Amino acid sequence: MLSALNTLFTGQMLMRLEAVSSTNDYLRDLVRATNTAEGAVVVANSQQAGRGQRGTNWHSERGKNLIMSVLYRPTFLSTDQQFYLSKAVALAVSAVVRKFTKANVQVKWPNDVLVNGKKVCGILIENLHSGADDWQSVIGIGLNVNQSEFAPALPNATSLSQVTGAEIGLNVVLYALCEALEAHYLQLRKSVTALDERYLQELYAMNEWRTFEASGQEFSGCIRGVNAAGKLLVEQASGKLHAFELKEVKLLA
Ligand code: BTN
């Protein structure tokens, strides 16, 4: 069945590439060189130098998964509100993963999407600033759709088809994702805090005592939320609440 894209602007400019170093880099270079429309999407069959968070690489089997970047201009957010975009994107992806799998979907801070506790999607948001209040966001999304095997180094990775047992057309997922991204983005534009409650409802390990690592030390802590700057709020055994940045803390188990 042919599916139609039902959006106002997300994916209306759609560039399909066979291979690229990184869709984020491609879109960033395009934005720098031309006046690119908001909602422009770059999608690729494979990446030679896909990038992940914390300086990691992102590997994705050729033609099996969704590898895409989308351009938004969320100038309604101040520079210290940038985490709100990350929340909106993670919730959009989680809604799509839920739609296709009907399984238990959660967001692992800051924006990994987990299905049945395993990572199905990674998100890398990179902002391009061209003035104090003028900035654009390149939102990179790697959603595992039909990959059936992952490297032993990634025991916690999964795909939509691994969960459902059936292959899913990449275009159907792409269009669903464009629609969900736009709906969440427009919601954010109306009210910056509209998605706060849902983000906490979907947050992995929220209010559970777990083992974390910070400054090379393991400690027992409990996630109590995320502050306005996007820092993770972890209660420690002493009862003290500590706000961690992405590079400062790791949830171990
Ligand atoms: C992570 O979980 O570490 C984030 C992974 C983000 C991967 C996507 S794939 C499309 C886009 N292009 C990239 O180079 N990275 C992002």
Side-chain angles (χ1 to χ4, degrees):
M1 194 180 79
L2 280 179
S3 53
L5 175 61
N6 188 14
T7 61
L8 294 170
F9 54 97
T10 307
Q12 292 299 333
M13 181 185 177
L14 181 60
M15 287 152 280
R16 293 181 188 271
L17 308 172
E18 178 48 42
V20 69
S21 57
S22 150
T23 55
N24 267 30
D25 294 354
Y26 185 92
L27 187 54
R28 181 202 58 214
D29 292 347
L30 193 74
V31 167
R32 284 192 180 142
T34 64
N35 188 7
T36 315
E38 179 161 42
V41 168
V42 175
V43 57
N45 256 341
S46 70
Q47 284 184 136
Q48 289 112 3
R51 293 186 289 106
Q53 290 192 10
R54 305 174 195 246
T56 56
N57 299 320
W58 184 259
H59 299 285
S60 183
E61 202 180 318
R62 182 169 171 267
K64 293 281 183 186
N65 303 318
L66 210 53
I67 301 169
M68 66 180 275
S69 299
V70 56
L71 177 72
Y72 279 144
R73 291 199 178 89
T75 45
F76 53 90
L77 297 176
S78 59
T79 38
D80 55 6
Q81 287 179 322
Q82 291 178 5
F83 187 67
Y84 287 90
L85 181 67
S86 175
K87 274 187 195 174
V89 173
L91 289 174
V93 174
S94 87
V96 170
V97 172
R98 198 168 294 112
K99 174 183 156 130
F100 284 101
T101 62
K102 315 257 185 301
N104 173 31
V105 185
Q106 288 179 299
V107 176
K108 186 173 176 191
W109 178 83
N111 54 21
D112 285 351
V113 178
L114 310 183
V115 57
N116 296 336
K118 289 189 162 193
K119 180 162 170 173
V120 70
C121 180
I123 297 167
L124 180 67
I125 301 182
E126 296 178 302
N127 297 323
L128 309 174
H129 291 268
S130 36
D133 301 318
D134 193 17
W135 55 291
Q136 334 194 37
S137 277
V138 170
I139 300 160
I141 299 173
L143 174 59
N144 298 331
V145 179
N146 291 320
Q147 189 162 331
S148 55
E149 281 173 27
F150 293 91
L154 300 171
N156 206 36
T158 192
S159 64
L160 299 182
S161 72
Q162 271 195 340
V163 176
T164 62
E167 291 223 341
I168 307 173
L170 289 183
N171 220 36
V172 179
V173 184
L174 170 66
Y175 285 3
L177 198 48
C178 287
E179 289 163 15
L181 283 168
E182 186 167 290
H184 285 74
Y185 183 64
L186 293 178
Q187 211 171 346
L188 192 67
R189 203 150 78 178
K190 251 199 244 155
S191 157
V192 167
T193 54
L195 300 167
D196 284 3
E197 207 179 308
R198 240 186 55 222
Y199 182 81
L200 290 186
Q201 280 165 1
E202 295 195 17
L203 194 61
Y204 176 74
M206 174 80 180
N207 291 330
E208 292 171 15
W209 285 91
R210 297 296 185 98
T211 307
F212 293 82
E213 188 197 302
S215 314
Q217 299 254 315
E218 286 191 16
F219 67 95
S220 173
C222 184
I223 298 175
R224 294 300 186 196
V226 175
N227 72 13
K231 291 188 182 181
L232 188 69
L233 300 174
V234 182
E235 184 182 333
Q236 292 171 336
S238 62
K240 221 180 125 200
L241 203 60
H242 194 102
F244 289 102
E245 282 196 41
L246 180 62
K247 289 190 188 99
E248 294 175 340
V249 72
K250 229 182 189 161
L251 172 57
L252 296 180

